[in-house]
Amino acid sequence: MKNHFLLILLFVCFQIPLKTAAQTANDIAGLWWTEDKKAKVKIYRQGNKYFGKLADLTQPLNDEGEPKRDKNNPETELRSRPLEGLVILSNLEYEGGNKWEDGDIYDPSSGKEYSCELTLEDANTLTVRGYLGFSLLGRSQTWTRVK
């Protein structure tokens, strides 16, 4: 009986870390601070894909006191749309574990779009990687969950 108790205790001890390390597709959903803390991005699920929009800017108004706009967009007709509410992450797919891939990220400061992947480092830390062509040719930022 003593051996059975010891086996059960060992089994339970080894299961706890596995359960806390497990990820689910919706773990990235929520509100995240960008690395520079200039914006909060709301990540949400739509169908089987994940998107993120600029939910809150720390400085939402330009020098003239008007809402900031997507002025660097290469498409002239889109330059008048407000930055707040703008979808900047799109079509990310959950790949399992702690990875979301095959999406795109839009950089309103340059008007450029890049391929994107997200890695959830822990419950409050998200690595956002934008790249051209290959993931090795890119740049990463660390976003933190808004508490």
Side-chain angles (χ1 to χ4, degrees):
M1 186 69 172
K2 187 177 179 182
N3 288 338
H4 289 272
F5 177 74
L6 184 58
L7 284 173
I8 292 171
L9 181 63
L10 286 172
F11 179 76
V12 169
C13 288
F14 284 110
Q15 291 302 310
I16 291 171
L18 293 176
K19 287 183 180 180
T20 58
Q23 302 290 324
T24 65
N26 286 325
D27 285 350
I28 60 167
L31 206 54
W32 296 87
W33 277 111
T34 57
E35 188 171 80
D36 59 11
K37 299 273 197 247
K38 289 184 178 181
K40 293 176 187 173
V41 177
K42 180 180 181 177
I43 297 179
Y44 57 95
R45 183 177 182 166
Q46 191 170 332
N48 287 331
K49 298 192 178 193
Y50 290 83
F51 296 81
K53 64 181 175 180
L54 293 172
D56 187 25
L57 302 174
T58 53
Q59 295 182 343
L61 305 178
N62 62 21
D63 293 338
E64 291 79 38
E66 299 173 352
K68 289 185 178 177
R69 307 230 175 250
D70 190 14
K71 65 181 182 180
N72 297 316
N73 197 299
E75 296 182 41
T76 310
E77 63 275 5
L78 297 178
R79 291 181 186 163
S80 63
R81 64 185 179 172
L83 286 183
E84 236 173 41
L86 184 67
V87 175
I88 61 166
L89 290 172
S90 58
N91 298 314
L92 287 150
E93 297 178 15
Y94 181 58
E95 298 297 324
N98 63 343
K99 291 267 190 201
W100 289 258
E101 298 177 344
D102 300 326
D104 298 300
I105 187 166
Y106 174 70
D107 177 10
S109 64
S110 69
K112 295 183 180 177
E113 190 170 86
Y114 303 93
S115 296
C116 180
E117 63 184 33
L118 306 178
T119 305
L120 191 62
E121 305 298 341
D122 60 47
N124 297 310
T125 309
L126 184 65
T127 299
V128 179
R129 183 152 185 85
Y131 59 92
L132 288 171
F134 301 98
S135 180
L136 294 174
L137 305 173
R139 185 172 67 109
S140 295
Q141 283 192 357
T142 301
W143 293 3
T144 53
R145 192 178 296 275
V146 175
K147 296 180 183 184

